[in-house]
Amino acid sequence: KISGLDLQWFRLDDPVMGGQSETTHTIENGLLHFKGTINTNGGGFASIRSKIPESVDLSSAKGFRFRIQGDGKTYKFFMTDGSRAGPMSRNPSWQMDIPTSKGKWEDVEIRFDKLLPSFGPRTPDDVSKYKFDCSQMKEVGLMLSLKLSDGSSNPKETFGEGIFPFSLKVEDVELLEQ
């Protein structure tokens, strides 16, 4: 939920590019559970996304706050303008890494001024050419990927290798007001 409104999550995994990773997600009593299996043979990412309800006003927000329980992997939070932000897109997705501790509940703050522009797995050479505009953001998501938000490799210690499971639980999503 954001501002008391339910989010309608859907998955977008690496099979769109020939990969074999699989994601499921459940929502029970306000707890989002994003889990699945990553297969790095031909791929290496799994994500869930939701449109941001039109009635949610991000203009007075400086970010999001939520609680997570992870598995020791480094995930990414991202926002997009709703167009498919990829290597060929004109519009970046905006990303921030979320390191997790195995089995431990942690508070996370995602500040809009800390998000990095990204085109697929690549961060532009000159990030100063891109300006985050929260009024243009239409989609929010979570991802586990071979690449971190800055485009560098997600190390096997915080990603995995071969075929492996993952699990991230999220609750208490709220806007951070200015």
Side-chain angles (χ1 to χ4, degrees):
K1 291 187 179 205
I2 297 177
S3 298
L5 299 170
D6 288 328
L7 297 177
Q8 304 300 313
W9 295 99
F10 63 96
R11 71 182 200 158
L12 183 64
D13 300 332
D14 60 20
V16 299
M17 302 172 73
Q20 302 174 49
S21 299
E22 297 180 0
T23 295
T24 61
H25 65 279
T26 57
I27 300 171
E28 195 170 311
N29 298 322
L31 178 75
L32 170 65
H33 192 183
F34 169 45
K35 60 185 175 180
T37 302
I38 295 281
N39 184 335
T40 59
N41 182 17
F45 78 88
S47 71
I48 56 173
R49 301 151 189 253
S50 176
K51 300 286 184 204
I52 298 170
E54 288 184 22
S55 60
V56 173
D57 181 10
L58 297 176
S59 65
S60 65
K62 63 180 180 180
F64 291 100
R65 177 184 299 126
F66 48 88
R67 291 184 45 76
I68 60 168
Q69 183 186 61
D71 52 8
K73 295 176 177 33
T74 298
Y75 293 81
K76 293 192 282 192
F77 170 90
F78 65 90
M79 296 180 79
T80 73
D81 66 2
S83 64
R84 289 292 159 231
M88 307 306 274
S89 175
R90 292 180 184 215
N91 301 316
S93 65
W94 293 86
Q95 304 180 356
M96 182 174 169
D97 295 332
I98 306 172
T100 68
S101 301
K102 188 171 185 170
K104 180 181 172 191
W105 281 100
E106 302 169 283
D107 294 321
V108 174
E109 281 194 6
I110 303 292
R111 295 179 49 95
F112 294 155
D113 61 352
K114 300 294 183 193
L115 295 175
L116 292 174
S118 177
F119 292 91
R122 294 176 201 81
T123 298
D125 292 333
D126 185 2
V127 296
S128 68
K129 289 182 179 179
Y130 301 91
K131 299 291 181 220
F132 179 80
D133 181 354
C134 63
S135 71
Q136 298 299 310
M137 297 299 107
K138 308 290 186 229
E139 194 174 78
V140 63
L142 297 164
M143 176 183 286
L144 180 60
S145 171
L146 281 165
K147 299 291 184 176
L148 296 171
S149 296
D150 66 3
S152 65
S153 293
N154 194 346
K156 67 179 180 181
E157 297 79 21
T158 60
F159 178 65
E161 60 184 338
I163 300 171
F164 56 90
F166 68 91
S167 174
L168 179 68
K169 296 177 181 175
V170 181
E171 68 177 5
D172 299 335
V173 179
E174 60 185 48
L175 291 174
L176 285 173
E177 299 299 325
Q178 299 261 6

